[in-house]
Amino acid sequence: MPDDDIELGQSPPDKKPDHPFLDSSEPESFYREARDAVHANGMGIILQCEQHRNHNFLAGEKDASSKETMDSPSIKPAIPPRTQKPRARRSTDDLDPRHLEKENASLRKDYEEIRRDLKSTWKENREQALELRDLKKQNTHLKESIRTQADPKSYKDQILSERRKFYEHVDMLDEHINHLKHQLEKKQLHMDQLTFQTREANEEKANYESKLQTLQKQNARLNEDLTECRDDILRLQPPSQIPDSKIVDEYANVYQQIASWVDDEAEDSSAMETQLEKILTDKDAPQLLKTCLDSDIIRATRKHSDAEPLILRYVIQTHLHQRILAEDLYLFGLDDHSVTLLRTIAHSMEDLEPKRDALTIQRWRSETLQALAKIDGFQTEQQRQATTVSKDLWSALIYLLPEIASQETGWKRLHDTVIMPAVHLATNMRFSTSCYRIIPHLPRNSGGHNNVIYHPDIQRYTILDVATQKVLRQDSVLKIAEDGRIGEHIMVIQPLLLRMQRDSNGGIALCKPTVAVRLDEPMARRAKGVKALAGWTSSWFGGEGDPSRT
């Protein structure tokens, strides 16, 4: 059993220590006395710890010699424990619990210090045992060295063995060097081959790059030709065109809906006379009415009390043209930022190479607007703007017809029957590759006037008599002046619809304008027999003596 593994309280075995620096001739009693001294020292430390642990339960004062031993910073080895003197009985004050607790704490502190010193002593014993083991190993090694040197033959054999091993190692290194030289020659040969292949590859790369540049130039020319061919194909393909007949039907339907709404809502229009007189002077009158109705129109209605429905139709169609069907309106419901962007793109396409003609740009515009119209956000915005237009128009009509103000959902009927058909018409007109224009005023007629209606204008316009609200026909019985005049133009009830020509400034009339006219002479009734015509001259029928025929 090693010395560092001997437990305290156990007598060490009688074993002579094997120390290389101790003479083996020493008597055995010398080693036994040394072990007994170490063992007695450990037992003394344990007895002192037990005495201090029971100190609080003993009477009398502490022994001075025992306290001196416990308070010492280090415990010297091989000192036997002292015999303690009998303790005197404690006084009553010494048995005070607080005094006992204080002494107990002090004893515990001393006990912990002794434990730490004991652990330190054990640690030193272990370290000394390890050093002793190392010294034994060194001693053994030295003994073997001395034994080898004492035998010359053995020493010579060892030298020869080491030399033989050295030569064998040298031979092995030579073989390894030769192998490396052979590998180096192979690598060098492989490097020469790779260099030659790299040179050939670089030459082929230069040739391919030259061919690639040539092919790229050819590809660029072919792409230009392909673009031109695509443009030609697009020009040759029939466009996805909305037919004129559909535009005309929707256009006529909008104004038919306006007339139907006015007939249903303005059955009693007597109150409009007072409201019309107040428009020009009333500050609270809607600005929409002040913009649409001028003094000439109001003055004309004074002479004909039956013209109020026509004024309502005029107000509605004027508002629709300004807010929904205007020519400069790119697409109803589209925000200003998108309109600016699309117009900029269309203008930029004119500068592209190869040149794009007007039809190509118009087709791009048509397809782009159709794609935008399918977006949910656009449809929501278009519906919102249409609702605003309906409410603005409804507030103006309430001013002219106070009796309809009690209709809480009246504007919704106006919105569904008039405004939304107009929005659908405006959208289809912008989707088409053709250009449509709505002319809200009359062009100059054959007499060079805007407000004078001549008899030949019956073929160009749909003329509505303000007094009778009947449409004039070619064979209507009219009083025709010498210059062909038949009346005075009051207002346009339905504007002119044109499809513009791409190669000219003119256009094709798709719908004639409907004009409200105040005739110079009332229209006569048509006679049933030939005898009834005796009192009429030929000028009433545009016959002989009619200036319009000259």
Side-chain angles (χ1 to χ4, degrees):
M1 180 183 293
D3 294 340
D4 54 346
D5 294 334
I6 298 174
E7 298 181 359
L8 293 176
Q10 179 182 357
S11 298
D14 296 335
K15 182 179 179 183
K16 182 180 178 180
D18 188 12
H19 199 286
F21 298 103
L22 296 178
D23 190 2
S24 58
S25 62
E26 290 290 340
E28 185 176 355
S29 60
F30 173 79
Y31 301 105
R32 185 179 297 108
E33 291 177 0
R35 287 196 299 271
D36 292 341
V38 175
H39 179 67
N41 187 21
M43 291 301 294
I45 293 174
I46 292 175
L47 291 175
Q48 291 176 11
C49 293
E50 293 295 334
Q51 292 170 3
H52 281 284
R53 181 182 302 175
N54 299 325
H55 184 272
N56 291 333
F57 304 100
L58 299 177
E61 296 181 354
K62 296 171 63 177
D63 186 15
S65 61
S66 176
K67 181 178 180 181
E68 182 180 356
T69 304
M70 296 300 296
D71 294 338
S72 60
S74 62
I75 301 174
K76 297 180 180 180
I79 298 177
R82 295 180 180 178
T83 304
Q84 296 183 357
K85 296 180 180 181
R87 300 178 184 271
R89 295 182 60 85
R90 292 180 179 270
S91 64
T92 306
D93 296 335
D94 294 336
L95 298 177
D96 186 22
R98 288 178 296 179
H99 181 69
L100 294 176
E101 290 179 359
K102 188 175 182 181
E103 288 184 355
N104 186 20
S106 176
L107 291 175
R108 286 181 179 275
K109 182 177 179 182
D110 294 339
Y111 175 72
E112 294 297 333
E113 290 180 357
I114 293 173
R115 286 188 61 186
R116 285 194 295 270
D117 293 340
L118 184 59
K119 290 182 180 180
S120 176
T121 303
W122 287 346
K123 184 176 180 181
E124 291 177 357
N125 290 338
R126 284 195 298 268
E127 291 177 353
Q128 290 175 1
L130 293 174
E131 291 177 359
L132 180 60
R133 184 182 59 188
D134 294 339
L135 291 174
K136 288 180 180 180
K137 291 181 180 179
Q138 293 177 5
N139 188 20
T140 303
H141 182 69
L142 290 174
K143 286 181 179 180
E144 291 179 357
S145 299
I146 293 172
R147 191 183 303 111
T148 304
Q149 293 177 1
D151 190 358
K153 184 178 180 181
S154 175
Y155 181 69
K156 184 177 180 180
D157 294 339
Q158 184 178 2
I159 291 176
L160 293 175
S161 176
E162 293 294 335
R163 184 180 297 174
R164 185 168 52 254
K165 291 180 180 179
F166 173 75
Y167 287 150
E168 291 177 355
H169 185 66
V170 170
D171 295 338
M172 184 180 65
L173 290 177
D174 290 338
E175 293 178 359
H176 186 64
I177 291 172
N178 294 330
H179 176 71
L180 291 177
K181 287 181 179 179
H182 180 67
Q183 293 293 330
L184 179 61
E185 292 176 356
K186 291 175 63 177
K187 296 293 183 183
Q188 188 65 35
L189 180 60
H190 184 63
M191 182 64 68
D192 295 338
Q193 294 177 354
L194 292 178
T195 303
F196 179 74
Q197 294 176 0
T198 302
R199 189 182 299 110
E200 290 183 346
N202 289 333
E203 293 177 357
E204 293 180 358
K205 179 183 177 182
N207 294 333
Y208 285 133
E209 287 178 351
S210 176
K211 292 180 181 179
L212 179 61
Q213 293 178 357
T214 304
L215 293 175
Q216 286 177 347
K217 293 179 181 179
Q218 294 179 359
N219 189 27
R221 289 195 299 268
L222 292 175
N223 285 332
E224 294 177 358
D225 296 340
L226 179 61
T227 302
E228 186 176 356
C229 292
R230 287 176 177 174
D231 293 339
D232 293 339
I233 291 173
L234 289 176
R235 294 188 189 98
L236 296 175
Q237 286 180 347
S240 177
Q241 172 66 21
I242 298 176
D244 292 341
S245 59
K246 183 177 181 180
I247 300 296
V248 171
D249 292 341
E250 292 182 359
Y251 184 81
N253 177 65
V254 169
Y255 290 94
Q256 182 63 36
Q257 292 294 332
I258 294 175
S260 299
W261 187 90
V262 171
D263 293 342
D264 295 340
E265 300 294 338
E267 295 179 357
D268 184 12
S269 58
S270 58
M272 284 185 58
E273 298 180 7
T274 305
Q275 299 299 111
L276 288 173
E277 294 295 336
K278 293 166 53 179
I279 289 177
L280 300 179
T281 58
D282 187 6
K283 296 182 179 180
D284 297 332
Q287 187 63 31
L288 187 151
L289 297 179
K290 293 181 180 181
T291 304
C292 296
L293 302 177
D294 54 13
S295 58
D296 295 336
I297 295 176
I298 295 176
R299 184 173 59 253
T301 57
R302 293 174 183 172
K303 299 179 181 180
H304 303 283
S305 58
D306 296 335
E308 284 81 1
L310 299 180
I311 292 180
L312 291 176
R313 293 173 61 181
Y314 175 75
V315 170
I316 294 174
Q317 70 89 9
T318 302
H319 186 64
L320 293 181
H321 181 265
Q322 293 176 352
R323 299 288 297 274
I324 300 176
L325 300 172
E327 182 180 358
D328 58 348
L329 192 62
Y330 201 83
L331 180 63
F332 181 77
L334 200 61
D335 59 281
D336 296 338
H337 176 72
S338 300
V339 170
T340 303
L341 178 61
L342 292 176
R343 284 179 174 170
T344 303
I345 295 174
H347 289 311
S348 301
M349 290 180 67
E350 297 176 357
D351 300 330
L352 295 177
E353 295 294 340
K355 293 292 184 180
R356 271 67 170 174
D357 55 11
L359 180 59
T360 301
I361 298 176
Q362 189 67 19
R363 286 173 179 170
W364 169 85
R365 176 178 178 271
S366 174
E367 293 176 354
T368 303
L369 293 181
Q370 291 181 37
L372 286 174
K374 294 182 179 180
I375 301 176
D376 295 337
F378 169 79
Q379 297 175 3
T380 302
E381 178 64 18
Q382 190 180 63
Q383 184 67 30
R384 187 191 65 80
Q385 294 185 15
T387 302
T388 303
V389 173
S390 301
K391 292 182 177 180
D392 293 344
L393 179 60
W394 179 254
S395 62
L397 295 176
I398 287 177
Y399 183 86
L400 295 176
L401 299 173
E403 66 272 9
I404 66 175
S406 59
Q407 302 177 10
E408 297 180 357
T409 59
W411 72 271
K412 292 184 178 180
R413 181 173 178 270
L414 177 68
H415 177 81
D416 296 335
T417 58
V418 177
I419 302 300
M420 290 310 298
V423 171
H424 192 264
L425 169 64
T427 303
N428 285 336
M429 289 172 64
R430 298 299 181 267
F431 285 171
S432 175
T433 56
S434 299
C435 181
Y436 296 96
R437 291 184 62 187
I438 296 177
I439 311 298
H441 55 81
L442 289 181
R444 293 185 179 274
N445 51 26
S446 57
H449 301 283
N450 291 333
N451 58 346
V452 178
I453 300 299
Y454 295 92
H455 189 267
D457 293 335
I458 296 177
Q459 298 179 356
R460 301 171 57 194
Y461 312 142
T462 299
I463 299 177
L464 184 66
D465 183 17
V466 175
T468 61
Q469 295 191 11
K470 293 183 179 181
V471 178
L472 302 184
R473 294 184 299 182
Q474 189 69 26
D475 57 350
S476 298
V477 181
L478 303 171
K479 176 64 177 179
I480 304 175
E482 293 181 359
D483 58 352
R485 170 175 171 154
I486 60 175
E488 180 183 3
H489 159 254
I490 303 300
M491 67 186 78
V492 177
I493 306 302
Q494 178 177 325
L496 171 66
L497 177 62
L498 293 178
R499 177 168 58 80
M500 307 305 296
Q501 300 288 342
R502 293 190 179 90
D503 300 332
S504 63
N505 296 327
I508 299 175
L510 301 180
C511 286
K512 296 191 298 183
T514 300
V515 185
V517 177
R518 182 172 60 84
L519 296 177
D520 295 336
E521 295 291 339
M523 183 171 52
R525 293 183 178 181
R526 187 183 304 276
K528 294 183 180 181
V530 179
K531 295 181 180 181
L533 300 177
W536 303 96
T537 62
S538 59
S539 62
W540 286 89
F541 304 98
E544 193 176 329
D546 185 359
S548 63
R549 293 181 176 271
T550 59

